[in-house]
Amino acid sequence: MKPSGLEPAFERLAAPLPIWRACIAPEAWQPAALAVAAAGGRLVALWGSDRRSTSQARGDAAGGVGGIAPDTGGFAVCVAYAVREGLAWLDLALDAGSPAFPDLGEIFPAAVRMQRAITDLLGIDVRGARDTRAWLDHGLWPAGSQPLARENGEPIPAPGSQHDALPADYPFVRVEGDGVHEIAVGPVHAGIIEPGHFRFSAVGEKVLRLEERLGYVHKGIERRFTGLPALEAHRLAGRVSGDSTVAFAWAYCMALESAAGCQVPERAQWLRALMLERERIANHLGDLGALGNDAGLAFGLAQFSRLREDWQRLSADAFGHRFMMDCVVPGGVAADPAPTLLDRMRAQCDAIEREVLVLRAIYDEHAGLQDRFMGTGRVTPQLAAQLGLTGLAGRASGQAADLRCDHPWPPYDRLKVAMAARTGGDVAARVAVRFDEALESLRLVRELCAALPAGAQRAALALPAREAFGAGWIEGWRGESFVALELDAGGAIRRCHCHDPSWQNWPVIEHAVIGNIVPDFPLINKSFNLAYSGHDL
């Protein structure tokens, strides 16, 4: 069934989930967004693409005078919406001479930062946008540089010999009044946490406003994709965010397989799901320990850290890597655990489930812990829906969306996943969702190991000899990991966009902390546990 409520003629991509793609006219760009919002749809990702040839980008004879010939491609802006029928990918071609597109931030607030990133990376303007501040560009890029524009034949150079160069001043929004003061936290933090800056406006310890500044670890990953062979770029996708290596590698491979029309063997599908659920459990175990520690229960950190270490050691034994990196490959998987290892994984699930249930009872009955958890960092279901909160954090605020349940692809169509959800929207609710999901994933791992079908672990994949588009959409532990892939007629990567759900959720933390005290911010932040690396591509 094609997406309803939208005018374009959609073409379904050859993906295991229902993913549709269509080109849209400029005058339909905002009405389409309004139609999606009115029907309860969500914004998944928003990105730009430079589809000019290299000669066109330089403006030489092949590209015509003053711009790009109408039939040879140009800039485009793309959006992916989650709708009832699946995922709708809309393409809007832009004027070659002055590329710009209408603002979506008034309809989907999560679009604001994505639009600012598009301007930084491609120089595309957003008509009607209220916030036009640079987002990824901290003032250290050479003037006029857009790292994803084709006229930039080389990566953006470093500041050169001026190692003392400082970022440009960022115009934070000021809060003024009697007793109001600012507290600047980061971008350098204690320990090994990645860099992000948090500017608090507070009266005493009560937070009136929080404004974030990210982009400190922008790595040029999306530009790097265009220099890698399509059959090898899954390794880079798996390094977008180290805690979601299986999710992003699977999303990239799904995108490539859909573009090439490759059928993945059934055994490989089950092994991918096995690794994805092991990744989910590892992160939930780590987070539950860290949340206990942030609320003053060091015992929780010690116990969950022990469990996570045991879990990751067996992942290394079974798949050759603690995080299962480089195990999801185009056409299938690179590792195929022996039956004895499958038995060990099932036995481990039984043992860890017993301990998690004991620890859950301790957490639930610990008065001091619950005093810190309950009511802290609340995001109401109404606010969550308005801001587009997604993934695990969204499910803790009444946003019942999980691709494994809503659009189950193989093997999830045979596993009947039980969705974990709460409506409280506070730290306690996000902790409860983690416990529920960890226990459900332990059940799934047991079932995947017990019913793993026989057969090949990988199929051959031939790149198409034509321009092709593909998309991957995976429910990772944090939320939806999305990859949009464009291949040129020679099978090379023209554009690969990876989207982490942290893009939607980082702005929500600015609202969740309002009215709380400053010392509760680390706890609130950890209860979301969003990616810096997955955001700062």
Side-chain angles (χ1 to χ4, degrees):
M1 181 178 178
K2 294 184 179 181
S4 58
L6 298 175
E7 292 300 327
F10 282 90
E11 174 188 3
R12 180 160 180 172
L13 301 182
L17 286 82
I19 302 176
W20 307 83
R21 179 177 173 271
C23 296
I24 192 169
E27 61 272 15
W29 180 252
Q30 287 180 323
L34 289 168
V36 169
R42 298 178 287 107
L43 173 69
V44 174
L46 179 64
W47 69 101
S49 179
D50 184 354
R51 295 173 182 166
R52 300 172 295 171
S53 68
T54 304
S55 59
Q56 288 169 335
R58 290 196 306 261
D60 60 19
V65 178
I68 303 168
D71 59 347
T72 54
F75 287 100
V77 63
C78 311
V79 64
Y81 295 119
V83 294
R84 182 187 60 197
E85 296 84 0
L87 184 131
W89 168 354
L90 299 179
D91 261 16
L92 174 62
L94 305 180
D95 177 74
S98 55
F101 65 95
D103 170 53
L104 294 182
E106 293 296 314
I107 305 169
F108 294 104
V112 172
R113 291 182 180 177
M114 302 179 205
Q115 292 177 162
R116 292 164 65 187
I118 290 172
T119 300
D120 287 349
L121 296 172
L122 284 159
I124 298 173
D125 292 329
V126 185
R127 293 194 299 270
R130 294 187 181 184
D131 191 346
T132 58
R133 295 173 293 175
W135 182 241
L136 296 177
D137 182 0
H138 285 228
L140 297 176
W141 297 355
S145 294
Q146 287 92 37
L148 293 185
R150 289 186 176 274
E151 61 264 29
N152 291 320
E154 298 296 332
I156 288 179
S161 59
Q162 299 176 354
H163 295 295
D164 58 347
L166 295 175
D169 289 336
Y170 185 74
F172 287 97
V173 176
R174 300 295 297 274
V175 177
E176 298 180 349
D178 292 341
V180 177
H181 62 283
E182 286 189 346
I183 304 172
V185 178
V188 178
H189 302 275
I192 58 173
I193 187 173
E194 293 179 274
H197 182 81
F198 303 92
R199 184 72 59 95
F200 296 87
S201 297
V203 173
E205 287 193 324
K206 185 177 181 180
V207 178
L208 301 180
R209 177 182 172 84
L210 167 64
E211 188 170 3
E212 302 160 351
R213 179 73 166 120
L214 304 177
Y216 292 92
V217 286
H218 176 70
K219 303 172 289 297
I221 280 182
E222 293 188 302
R223 178 59 181 265
R224 181 70 185 110
F225 270 114
T226 62
L228 292 175
L231 293 175
E232 297 179 13
H234 63 284
R235 300 184 66 246
L236 181 59
R239 287 158 175 79
V240 163
S241 185
D243 58 15
S244 302
T245 182
V246 175
F248 272 110
W250 192 350
Y252 174 84
C253 289
M254 183 185 291
L256 182 62
E257 289 152 5
S258 67
C262 175
Q263 294 295 320
V264 178
E266 186 181 22
R267 183 176 180 87
Q269 295 169 352
W270 283 65
L271 287 170
R272 286 179 175 183
L274 175 59
M275 288 187 279
L276 187 68
E277 296 308 315
R278 289 193 67 87
E279 180 171 83
R280 192 183 316 276
I281 292 167
N283 281 288
H284 287 343
L285 293 175
D287 281 356
L288 288 167
L291 283 161
N293 189 61
D294 280 357
L297 186 66
F299 168 82
L301 176 64
Q303 296 305 312
F304 277 109
S305 296
R306 173 179 59 83
L307 296 179
R308 184 183 183 186
E309 177 62 23
D310 290 344
W311 188 259
Q312 290 183 304
R313 288 184 181 185
L314 184 51
S315 291
D317 290 344
F319 297 101
H321 194 285
R322 290 167 58 87
F323 296 98
M324 298 163 289
M325 193 166 281
D326 299 331
C327 291
V328 178
V329 298
V333 294
D336 192 351
T340 54
L341 286 165
L342 296 175
D343 291 340
R344 285 177 58 190
M345 281 189 267
R346 293 168 64 189
Q348 186 185 50
C349 287
D350 294 338
I352 285 189
E353 182 179 73
R354 289 192 293 270
E355 296 208 49
V356 168
L357 289 171
V358 171
L359 287 166
R360 184 171 199 172
I362 292 172
Y363 272 45
D364 288 346
E365 296 169 9
H366 194 288
L369 205 63
Q370 292 304 312
D371 182 63
R372 293 292 306 280
F373 285 175
M374 296 181 67
T376 303
R378 172 166 284 134
V379 181
T380 65
Q382 295 77 16
L383 182 61
Q386 179 184 353
L387 298 179
L389 187 64
T390 188
L392 180 151
R395 289 191 288 277
S397 290
Q399 308 308 298
D402 185 327
L403 294 179
R404 299 173 301 163
C405 306
D406 302 334
H407 303 289
W409 70 101
Y412 290 107
D413 55 349
R414 293 173 54 185
L415 296 175
K416 295 182 174 58
V417 178
M419 187 186 306
R422 292 287 192 278
T423 58
D426 54 5
V427 172
R430 292 185 282 274
V431 168
V433 169
R434 281 177 167 82
F435 272 115
D436 289 345
E437 286 198 355
L439 293 169
E440 174 65 2
S441 290
L442 288 169
R443 180 190 73 82
L444 294 174
V445 168
R446 280 194 292 260
E447 188 167 345
L448 287 161
C449 289
L452 184 66
Q457 70 183 68
R458 188 173 185 180
L461 188 152
L463 296 176
R466 52 174 174 75
E467 179 185 69
F469 295 82
W473 197 24
I474 295 294
E475 187 70 42
W477 74 270
R478 187 179 279 116
E480 298 162 316
S481 296
F482 174 74
V483 172
L485 180 65
E486 301 179 23
L487 301 177
D488 65 20
I493 296 175
R494 182 174 64 196
R495 180 76 169 92
C496 182
H497 175 68
C498 297
H499 182 88
D500 189 278
S502 300
W503 276 95
Q504 275 89 338
N505 293 355
W506 272 119
V508 182
I509 292 182
E510 296 181 342
H511 295 263
V513 74
I514 293 174
N516 291 263
I517 60 174
V518 175
D520 274 342
F521 172 70
L523 180 63
I524 297 170
N525 193 25
K526 174 54 70 175
S527 72
F528 285 83
N529 193 6
L530 305 181
Y532 298 84
S533 181
H535 173 282
D536 299 350
L537 300 185

